[in-house]
Amino acid sequence: MSQVETIVADSNAYFTPVQGAAYYGRARTLEEIVIHHWDSKEKRLAGQVSFNGVLQHLLHAGVPSANEIIGFDEGAGRVRVINSVVYPNVAFTSGSTATARGKYINQVSVGFECDPLAEVSGHAQQGAVLEAIAQRCFDYCRLVDRLLPLTMHRDYAQTACPGEMPMDWLRTRLNQLWQAY
């Protein structure tokens, strides 16, 4: 399993729980996990996006941000899991107006920016990236002591994100981890 590193994003990249409650008009809760991908798998395979490039963008650009950044770091030669907006802080992941059943999605979820290599069937790093994503989903379920649904960015915004992420595999693996818990 990948070790979780905490590298906190710039303070303009998230709300504290108090700021989130003031902005969204409701308390911070954790009701689901929203899966994203950094970019297309084609760009990733062509070397047009990299783990470190995405990491720097999400840590310092301000918007968007993510609770977790998960992917294969070419320089380190391993999968890395970066906790960049530490829960219960609110990441700017799914859009400030995106709603889930009448609730602002950022205020009721955590967002994972995932390596599009997880979408590439047969890629040498696919399994390790997918397992790291599933393990972090499980960690958040343990935090709230219940199985959380996994949703996709495109459920809340006009986007193709998270591309061809194997959501059925992730949901099945999360259920396996939860049942063994």
Side-chain angles (χ1 to χ4, degrees):
M1 183 169 64
S2 301
Q3 176 183 344
V4 177
E5 304 170 57
T6 298
I7 304 174
V8 179
D10 291 345
S11 61
N12 66 335
Y14 60 88
F15 284 146
T16 66
V18 170
Q19 291 168 321
Y23 184 83
Y24 294 114
R26 64 164 305 185
R28 174 71 160 127
T29 59
L30 182 51
E31 300 174 20
E32 59 192 84
I33 300 167
V34 182
I35 303 296
H36 303 257
H37 69 174
W38 317 331
D39 212 317
S40 72
K41 64 183 181 182
E42 292 79 14
K43 286 185 180 177
R44 180 69 162 120
L45 290 170
Q48 296 171 339
V49 291
S50 68
F51 180 84
N52 284 315
V54 168
L55 181 64
Q56 292 310 308
H57 175 72
L58 291 172
L59 291 176
H60 304 297
V63 176
S65 59
N67 294 95
E68 304 279 330
I69 305 163
I70 303 170
F72 181 71
D73 181 341
E74 304 83 354
R78 63 183 173 87
V79 173
R80 291 179 66 195
V81 178
I82 308 296
N83 183 236
S84 60
V85 175
V86 180
Y87 181 82
N89 291 322
V90 182
F92 304 146
T93 313
S94 299
S96 62
T97 60
T99 59
R101 294 162 298 288
K103 304 174 204 172
Y104 290 106
I105 190 61
N106 290 340
Q107 187 70 354
V108 298
S109 68
V110 290
F112 289 13
E113 282 289 349
C114 304
D115 194 329
L117 290 178
E119 303 170 47
V120 182
S121 185
H123 190 279
Q125 300 307 322
Q126 182 189 29
V129 172
L130 284 170
E131 187 63 29
I133 297 166
Q135 288 290 333
R136 285 306 285 159
C137 291
F138 176 62
D139 290 343
Y140 280 92
C141 292
R142 288 189 320 185
L143 180 70
V144 297
D145 200 31
R146 64 187 171 85
L147 189 60
L148 295 166
L150 302 184
T151 59
M152 299 177 288
H153 186 196
R154 68 174 163 254
D155 293 338
Y156 310 106
Q158 293 294 320
T159 179
C161 180
E164 298 173 29
M165 190 68 62
M167 295 299 295
D168 288 341
W169 187 94
L170 286 171
R171 290 180 182 113
T172 298
R173 182 66 180 128
L174 177 58
N175 281 319
Q176 291 169 344
L177 292 167
W178 187 253
Q179 293 302 318
Y181 173 57

